[in-house]
Amino acid sequence: MASEKQGEYDFIVVSNRLPVDRQTSPDGTEYWQASPGGLVTALEPMMQASGGAWVGWPGRPDLEFDPFDHDGMHLVPVSLTAVEVERYYEGFCNDTIWPLYHDVIAPPSYHRVWWDAYVRVNRRFADAAARLAAKDATVWVHDYQLQLVPMMLRESRPDLTIGFFNHIPFPPYGIFSQLPWRRRIIEGLLGADVIGFQRVGDAANFSLAVRRLLGHSVRRAGAIDIEEDGKPFRRVISRAFPISIDSRAFEEVAKRPDVQARARQIREDLGNPKKILLGVDRLDYTKGIQHRLKALGELFAAGELDPEEVSFVQVASPSRERVETYRQLRDEIELTVGRINGDFGSIRHQPVSYLHHGYPRDEMVALYLAADVMLVTALRDGMNLVAKEYPAVRFDEDGVLVLSEFTGSADELRTALRVNPHDIDGLKAAILEATRMPQADRRRRMRAMRRRVLENDVARWSSSFLDVLREARGNSAARDESHVDPVLEQAGSGA
């Protein structure tokens, strides 16, 4: 067990969750296990090289954990009470911000007691980072749960270089303006030197909110000039930095003989259908699972797809099961799956296999290899990394990706079959095209997607953000002397 070393860390990551999960072995012994995910993969080498610290909640309420070291990283747990989990996390984060930022697909709830908890918890995270940070350290804050932390850090530690990355969409002003605490959120984010978003449109939405709410001018390349007493005070860079995956690691798993054998076994277990369609999502109303089920049901009913020759596998990992909206969604999806299988299934074959649990990476890669068509029909998604994982593993250069235009991945994976998931007829047409596409066309499209995913991996994402952050902060002295900084203009134009 390591003690908290105050003021000793030059690089600090702050996120809602620590990069580890608390596990219990069969003999009752508890231990920490690294969490899967692109953020951990991207930042772990940097954390290990710099001796950095990571601040986050360990995932269990009402428990205090001392700081500890894990895989070369110093981890500093921030405790939350059960009431705070209910109000800050399940309430404000996931029943206010999440639906609001996802185009109000579900109605957000606005409760002052939730907001108060959000402010209180953000303060706790900011205080922990401020204690750990060495003079002139860099702090990288992540995601919508911690939007107030940048300004809280700026006020207590003006020497710090502060970055913020928003992993989910940022909504148009007409939607964002519904939030009663809209000004406080914008002010909180503007404490950062660089604010990153998944898509160019998200950065533009944020810039408009800044102009409308605070009156700051937004210059070329997302440079936001903040004045104090009518004079230039700070400049904040707001830009798109589309996140990615550790594509080489996924490809390496896909090339393992045991994983390839598992992919063949999956096809056999499904009865060796002519086509396997796959959906992999967290169970969430933003993912468009109902839309793809509706399209498939209509294709079966019209005889355009033979339910005896097609298998659709839907993996829906559990999510926020204490939130009523998610419980209702699960019931609706399970009812629809049962109806399709009841109408079109037989004793020997069920056209839809619905799996409501998570899987380790090896099993997911085997599913990707087994699937002829990948369906990503999100109604709104910051990026959607499943859309990048699928081409990353398809070293055989086969398979078809049907991809919602409302995902960040659609900006990069141009040769996917793009769909508007609200357009059920268009979605049906894309599914039919995917199942009937000639091999030469499949390979041409897949080669282009793989090239993009392999070149723009998660390491390139993190380095591009941090390069701009260092450059922006490195010119802080010049910003104090001049309203226009040509180096910063260049930093904001692209990494």
Side-chain angles (χ1 to χ4, degrees), residues 364-381:
M364 292 311 308
V365 171
L367 279 165
Y368 292 149
L369 290 173
D372 301 289
V373 179
M374 185 82 217
L375 299 178
V376 177
T377 59
L379 309 180
R380 188 77 166 93
D381 223 334

Side-chain angles (χ1 to χ4, degrees), residues 391 394 397-403 412-418 430 433-434 437-453:
R394 296 308 300 242
E397 296 184 345
D398 207 349
V400 183
L401 173 63
V402 176
L403 180 59
E412 300 179 80
L413 305 179
R414 302 279 185 171
T415 55
L417 291 181
R418 290 163 59 96
E433 182 181 356
M437 186 179 293
Q439 185 181 62
D441 196 11
R442 297 198 304 265
R443 289 190 167 177
R444 176 185 62 81
R445 291 170 177 268
M446 185 57 72
R447 273 196 299 270
M449 288 189 287
R450 280 179 51 75
R451 189 180 310 116
R452 179 71 181 183
V453 170

